[in-house]
Amino acid sequence: MKKTYKIAVMPGDGTGPEVVAEGLKVLKAASKKFGFDSKEEMFDYGGDRYLKTGKTITDEEIANLKKFDAIFLGAIGHPDVKPGILEQGILLKTRFGLDQYINLRPVKLYSDAFCPLKDKKPSDIDFVVVRENSEGLYKGMGEFVDKGKSDEVAIQISHNTRKGVERCLRYAFEFCQKRNKRKKLTLCGKTNVLTFAWDLWQRTFDEVKKDYPDVKTDYAHVDATTMWFVKNPEWFDVIVTDNIFGDIITDLAAMIQGGMGIAAGGNINPKGVSMFEPIGGSAPKYMGKNVINPLAAICALGMLLDNVGEEKAARAVEDSVIKVATTKLKSLGAGKMGYSTTEVGDLVVENL
Ligand code: IPM
Ligand code: MN
């Protein structure tokens, strides 16, 4: 019997709906070709709904998402809503509410032509960042003391638990084994300054690594990591890091793989429901123009397929993206592709 996957679709704001539509087009084509079915349900969580109703995403709505096999997300962020409300109220609330404690961000250069670095080729830029996705500075802990006064103090706490750190590290080690490329895991931190949080990370890393003797380990401070991304990205295989460092280094990583037009990620709960998204934002200035690059969303859809167990389809989607990106598109940038958003989606379907 054909498998049917239940997919919750959250197109979101700005160009989110446009890129999600192309992802769904590819999903339909892949399901036909690889013999599975999918049933999508659309959810309008985002800025427009918030402006109309004052609602971000409710606890009941989060609970409802647990009955799906996976979530496909476009983008969250609306120019008429104060920064932070939708990001915290929808994106982070969903990540936390579904305990998606890993943010998995593959960084792969598909063609030299897309790389802003001199003399770097696809074999030099091929690594994965495993970002802790449920703790650290993102916990939102802290306080103001004497707010608004001249002696004001603002405190923002990085909250790291042994259990939270350990499950992230174990995921990274196991991912590195499964990936089976160079079998090297780099811990990216700041042990020289953040002597509480990173002491816990380093100690846990040193303990946990004994269970994975086939994985080579390494450590790099986060500032140095940004330097190596530019100078020697070929040194990396899998990187594991905390929530804020992972956020920052993956924007830089996205640029060296060709930009936000191609960078995708997954918010993973290994035992629950995971959510896949292009890592770029809602890009409101391109909204409705049919110029945004949908490949990042299509790559996210590919990761979703891999996650639900359709590995063959996932590989085919990635192969098609590579073919289209390297043989058709003039550039990966919005408005510079030589094709419209919908045409790029069609090309991926044709090459599947
Ligand atoms: C990301 C984004 C989010 C984050 C924002 C929108 C809250 O930058 O997915 O990387 O900081 O995690
Ligand atoms: Mn980010």
Side-chain angles (χ1 to χ4, degrees), residues 30 49 149 201 223 227:
R49 185 179 92 140
K149 306 228 175 87
W201 274 85
D223 48 346
M227 174 181 74

Side-chain angles (χ1 to χ4, degrees), residues 254-276:
M255 286 303 128
I256 65 171
Q257 75 176 122
M260 291 304 181
I262 195 83
N267 302 277
I268 313 278
N269 175 341
K271 295 198 181 100
V273 185
S274 300
M275 173 167 76
F276 299 84

Side-chain angles (χ1 to χ4, degrees), residues 153-321:
V153 182
I155 302 166
Q156 191 92 41
I157 293 172
S158 175
H159 185 268
N160 300 264
T161 65
R162 165 72 197 218
K163 285 198 177 78
V165 170
E166 182 167 340
R167 67 181 180 174
C168 174
L169 291 172
R170 287 197 184 278
Y171 181 92
F173 274 104
E174 279 154 33
F175 181 86
C176 192
Q177 285 180 326
K178 224 175 93 200
R179 172 170 156 93
N180 200 17
K181 287 226 161 121
R182 294 172 39 224
K183 291 238 194 131
K184 176 174 155 189
L185 180 64
T186 304
L187 177 68
C188 163
K190 193 69 188 172
T191 51
N192 53 351
V193 175
L194 307 179
T195 51
F196 297 107
W198 283 94
D199 190 80
L200 173 62
W201 274 85
Q202 178 81 69
R203 259 186 293 123
T204 311
F205 188 74
D206 291 341
E207 272 176 45
V208 163
K209 76 179 179 195
K210 295 183 190 133
D211 293 339
Y212 308 91
D214 54 326
V215 177
K216 291 185 282 295
T217 56
D218 195 6
Y219 172 84
H221 291 318
V222 62
D223 48 346
T225 301
T226 63
M227 174 181 74
W228 300 129
F229 275 8
V230 173
K231 207 169 163 285
N232 297 98
E234 66 277 8
W235 286 357
F236 297 109
D237 177 25
V238 179
I239 298 172
V240 61
T241 190
D242 78 356
N243 210 337
I244 190 72
F245 292 165
D247 177 47
I248 297 166
I249 66 172
T250 54
D251 264 27
L252 176 56
M255 286 303 128
I256 65 171
Q257 75 176 122
M260 291 304 181
I262 195 83
N267 302 277
I268 313 278
N269 175 341
K271 295 198 181 100
V273 185
S274 300
M275 173 167 76
F276 299 84
E277 53 175 332
I279 86 168
S282 56
K285 73 172 179 182
Y286 296 121
M287 182 178 148
K289 300 202 163 98
N290 200 17
V291 296
I292 195 81
N293 187 344
L295 290 181
I298 295 171
C299 288
L301 189 268
M303 292 179 74
L304 182 156
L305 288 173
D306 189 66
N307 182 263
V308 298
E310 294 294 331
E311 288 95 353
K312 262 201 201 144
R315 215 163 315 125
V317 169
E318 190 185 8
D319 288 343
S320 177
V321 167

Side-chain angles (χ1 to χ4, degrees), residues 76 87-88 91-92 95 103 105 131 133 138 243-244 246-247 250-251 267 277-279:
I76 297 293
E87 292 84 347
Q88 297 236 346
L91 186 61
L92 298 184
R95 287 176 181 172
N103 196 316
R105 298 190 161 175
R131 164 186 176 189
N133 210 32
Y138 280 68
N243 210 337
I244 190 72
D247 177 47
T250 54
D251 264 27
N267 302 277
E277 53 175 332
I279 86 168

